[in-house]
Amino acid sequence: MKFKDYYATLGVGRNAGADEIKKAYRKLAHKFHPDVSKEAGAEERFKEIAEAYQTLKDPEKRAAYDRLGTGYRPGEDFRPPPDWQQQFRAGGGGAAHEGGAFSFDDLDLADLFESLSRQRGAQRGAPRPRRGADYEAAVHLTLEQAFHGTQLELLLGGRKVTARIPKGATTGQRLRLRGQGGKGLDGGADGDVYLDIVLHEHGLFRVTGHDLYLDLPLAPWEAALGATIEVPTLSGAVNLKIPPGTAAGRKLRLAKKGLPKPGGGEGDLYAVVQIVNPTALDERSRELFRELAQHAGFDPRAHFAEATHG
Amino acid sequence: MAEHEDVVWMHTERVISIVELARYCEVEESQVRELVDYGALEPTDPGAEPLAFDAECAPQVRSALRLCHDLELESATVPLVLSLLERIHELERSVRDLTARLGRP
């Protein structure tokens, strides 16, 4: 069994009072609770903090923990003193050592204390079925993975879970894998796995729900004269007809070229028009623009005057 | 394969029964009913039994209950935490939507 220093986890001394322990726990829980924390590894950290607190807040468990001994380094293999083991055995059954020889080597410190509380609960007779733990994890997918569906290997609760992510994923969605969580005990059902989907940013497409947005740069003459241009989509390039006189900011909809939806159907792809000038103009090009400026007689800001004098 | 049927997008199950919601949140049904009594959670049809809810609220309800349990907050704070989480959820969705429409700065 690996030693864990619960006092160090909470950042308190071995003589800390109950109030000090509670205060330290709340402060850390506030910082690392997975429902509010944005810190990397918050969930793992919170589990350690909660495990330490569950033992140290309970005077009986804390006394049992203190009797384990001192001077071990966290992670170091250790065996509790023999009298501790006897005391533990005297308490009767526990799921961790059901049906046969009991070895501390296979145990985790958290299981040990969990087992202690169950014994103290003193439910004689048939053990109550206990449902397996649910696991939650955020999974980051590329847009292509979300579009085609994918399969991921995840490490959850210390074991490998193969998660099939069907088509239909988008940021903010939650997928439930029934029965893929922790194993149930004493006839209880297996837990579930919940996956929160987060899509990676893509170099071209922005995602909202199942719709995609793509910035579509056009040369001034393409916007003015209209054109048929090739536009990338997740299922390959398609031709898009640009109507003459297309303004910047206009959204051109490519129906059903967005992400597939879970219940069937697809979102749309919107190409947002940008009008982009050539970065370097040679003399001939400048000449042509000057000619156009004189010829067109176009004032794009005519409405300024109307609005201020009208 | 049978296991494929066990992979479910949560929001496509449009409603979630009180039994399922309580199981998902790992609480007793009475705690979910308490949220309804406080007005923090609205059933899809208040007259129908068993109560059912819009499935989209499930992750926030679970977070609110879990936060209050883990931080040892009074049960009366659960509705407040839930409404704040729902606001954050809405705002995050709006930001995602606007960022997609307008482009990154």
Side-chain angles (χ1 to χ4, degrees):
Chain A
M1 183 158 50
K2 305 275 185 219
F3 185 73
K4 293 178 190 170
D5 188 339
Y6 287 155
Y7 291 100
T9 302
L10 293 181
V12 295
R14 292 185 78 89
N15 299 322
D19 276 354
E20 196 185 335
I21 287 173
K22 185 188 266 190
K23 209 169 155 186
Y25 165 73
R26 286 197 173 170
K27 193 172 167 188
L28 290 167
H30 184 229
K31 189 166 177 199
F32 293 106
H33 197 284
D35 287 317
V36 283
S37 180
K38 300 276 181 207
E39 300 213 16
E43 186 158 6
E44 280 311 303
R45 188 75 197 277
F46 178 73
K47 274 187 198 152
E48 288 166 16
I49 294 160
E51 180 186 326
Y53 182 60
Q54 287 309 317
T55 297
L56 296 187
K57 78 168 180 181
D58 179 318
E60 263 183 66
K61 284 193 200 170
R62 184 178 176 185
Y65 175 76
D66 287 344
R67 280 200 304 275
L68 287 172
T70 50
Y72 300 107
R73 287 186 308 276
E76 188 180 346
D77 266 315
F78 85 111
R79 299 182 71 82
D83 57 330
W84 199 97
Q85 186 165 348
Q86 270 169 5
Q87 198 176 11
F88 179 69
R89 274 180 158 168
H97 55 107
E98 237 173 308
F102 162 63
S103 159
F104 274 117
D105 298 338
D106 310 329
L107 266 184
D108 180 60
L109 207 48
D111 297 336
L112 192 61
F113 283 102
E114 165 77 1
S115 180
L116 268 179
S117 2
R118 254 181 286 138
Q119 287 166 35
R120 216 172 40 188
Q123 286 150 355
R124 301 285 176 212
R128 267 177 65 191
R130 293 178 65 225
R131 201 173 163 266
D134 289 340
Y135 299 128
E136 284 179 274
V139 290
H140 296 256
L141 304 178
T142 64
L143 211 45
E144 287 78 7
Q145 285 175 316
F147 183 76
H148 296 289
T150 186
Q151 195 153 306
L152 300 173
E153 298 270 304
L154 304 166
L155 200 61
L156 296 169
R159 65 189 187 93
K160 211 187 268 183
V161 173
T162 304
R164 192 180 68 88
I165 315 282
K167 280 183 190 183
T170 188
T171 294
Q173 265 181 320
R174 186 164 263 234
L175 189 67
R176 172 160 72 185
L177 312 176
R178 265 194 201 117
Q180 305 253 334
K183 292 281 162 218
L185 288 175
D186 303 320
D190 294 342
D192 298 334
V193 169
Y194 294 96
L195 300 178
D196 285 316
I197 306 294
V198 183
L199 297 186
H200 285 298
E201 282 188 5
H202 191 274
L204 288 178
F205 303 109
R206 299 185 297 271
V207 186
T208 175
H210 292 87
D211 291 339
L212 300 176
Y213 281 78
L214 165 75
D215 285 336
L216 180 67
L218 296 179
W221 46 89
E222 288 173 329
L225 304 174
T228 298
I229 56 167
E230 205 173 77
V231 173
T233 74
L234 288 171
S235 53
V238 296
N239 284 328
L240 176 65
K241 207 167 170 187
I242 309 294
T246 292
R250 181 163 173 190
K251 292 185 186 73
L252 303 167
R253 187 167 76 109
L254 286 91
K256 298 183 187 297
K257 290 291 178 190
L259 290 173
K261 293 181 182 177
E266 299 84 16
D268 299 328
L269 168 62
Y270 293 91
V272 186
V273 170
Q274 295 177 334
I275 296 179
V276 181
N277 284 300
T279 43
L281 289 177
D282 60 13
E283 187 44 45
R284 170 76 180 128
S285 303
R286 272 199 292 274
E287 183 61 34
L288 287 169
F289 268 120
R290 276 195 287 268
E291 208 175 298
L292 178 63
Q294 278 172 8
H295 174 78
F298 169 55
D299 179 5
R301 293 168 298 282
H303 64 291
F304 281 9
E306 282 164 27
T308 47
H309 302 300
Chain B
M1 280 197 295
E3 64 177 43
H4 285 187
E5 290 157 22
D6 287 339
V7 179
V8 181
W9 289 113
M10 288 205 54
H11 87 289
T12 54
E13 294 175 12
R14 303 203 83 105
V15 293
I16 185 168
S17 74
I18 188 165
V19 181
E20 276 279 287
L21 185 60
R23 207 201 78 168
Y24 172 58
C25 298
E26 297 174 278
V27 296
E28 299 290 328
E29 277 181 45
S30 59
Q31 279 175 272
V32 178
R33 279 184 196 278
E34 221 169 274
L35 291 177
V36 177
D37 294 342
Y38 277 123
L41 190 58
E42 267 186 47
T44 45
D45 178 358
E49 282 290 341
L51 291 177
F53 306 91
D54 186 338
E56 211 173 321
C57 74
Q60 284 85 46
V61 175
R62 180 181 159 107
S63 288
L65 287 163
R66 190 165 51 180
L67 267 173
C68 292
H69 172 267
D70 291 348
L71 295 175
E72 300 179 325
L73 304 178
E74 279 184 43
S75 65
T77 54
V78 181
L80 172 68
V81 173
L82 177 57
S83 53
L84 292 175
L85 286 178
E86 279 176 343
R87 260 170 77 181
I88 292 173
H89 179 69
E90 277 305 308
L91 290 170
E92 283 179 341
R93 192 155 53 186
S94 306
V95 169
R96 270 203 302 273
D97 190 45
L98 287 172
T99 310
R101 283 167 195 271
L102 302 175
R104 286 180 286 274

